[in-house]
Amino acid sequence: MMAADGLPPLREVIAQHGLRAKKALGQNFLLDLNLTAKIARQAGDLGRADVLEIGPGPGGLTRGLLAEGARRVLAVEKDAGCLPVLEEISAAFPGRLEVVHGDALDIDPLAHLNAPIRVVANLPYNIGTELLVRWLTPPDWPPFWQSLTLMFQKEVAQRIVAQPGSRAYGRLSVLAQWRSAPRIAMEIPPDAFTPRPKVHSAVVQIDALPEPRFPADPGMLSAVVAKAFNQRRKMLRSALKGLTPDIEERIVAAGLRPTDRAEKVSVEGFCALARELSAK
Ligand code: SAM
């Protein structure tokens, strides 16, 4: 029996094309089209947006995005084995799906898509954090994307939304909450994936704010936060040693205490410190 989009069910597609999940590429596929449509709906109004999807695999989420009315989808996939399947989807949605064979780390989405752009992806685990940090730390704001709807391991999702003082609070929390509004939209159990991973997952919805909550230079903020959380239990004066000889005075000038620990410092506090260090 065909699925609602006129294409065969995903299990059939995978069997027909002899696809086998490759661990090295982080392949855990979503095969339930009701679930992929639900994830696509989290992303907001797709009819008025182009969508960047990283790692479409056999195209479950891609089909969800197209069925939910995405204006256009650019799907970037590293595994050549998935391309014939994706071409079939492209043929079923004429002019709406462009498939690029390549590494997501090397692609310039603006060469293919028009604003507004929403990013929706069940990310490969090995490049998920790197892509997220890149998307959160461009020199200028607002970024090329309006929203990010991303699947992560649940622990990573919790770090993105964590508040100061909690164990999960860290670099990702500060970078995500500085210029965006992140929230956990859905939790996804291991059974939803084929093959079944050991970990639980969650979809995080990150909406770009029109302006940063507090002024700071992105490069300086990233550097300070990375150093501070590299030794999260140490006091700021030790964790940030080496950044500048007068680090204690800078910390005080930013309204913080040299004895504070990174896990207690708010986003506002880190931005103040980044401004102090940039002013030098
Ligand atoms: N979106 C599909 C789904 O939800 O069923 C597949 C998700 S799977 C977790 C991650 C996908 O990313 C795989 O298809 C994998 O081949 C692809 N991938 C891995 N590394 C990649 C990279 N550097 N650039 C683009 N795609 C990559």
Side-chain angles (χ1 to χ4, degrees), residues 10 13-14 17 19-22 25-31 33 36 53-63 65 73-90 97-102 104 120-124 194-195:
L10 277 157
V13 173
I14 287 176
H17 288 266
L19 291 184
R20 259 175 247 291
K22 297 172 183 141
L25 286 172
Q27 293 185 340
N28 295 97
F29 301 135
L30 291 170
L31 303 185
L33 291 169
T36 60
E53 186 193 358
I54 305 300
L61 184 54
T62 320
R63 286 167 64 172
L65 292 163
V73 177
L74 170 69
V76 183
E77 176 55 61
K78 193 169 177 180
D79 182 3
C82 294
L83 300 181
V85 180
L86 295 167
E87 287 311 328
E88 285 175 9
I89 303 173
S90 189
L97 172 62
E98 182 184 352
V99 179
V100 170
H101 178 215
V120 185
N122 175 10
L123 289 173
T194 304

Side-chain angles (χ1 to χ4, degrees), residues 159-175:
R159 278 190 240 150
I160 293 168
V161 302
Q163 294 302 307
S166 67
R167 277 180 57 195
Y169 185 66
R171 180 174 77 116
L172 288 182
S173 330
V174 176
L175 296 180

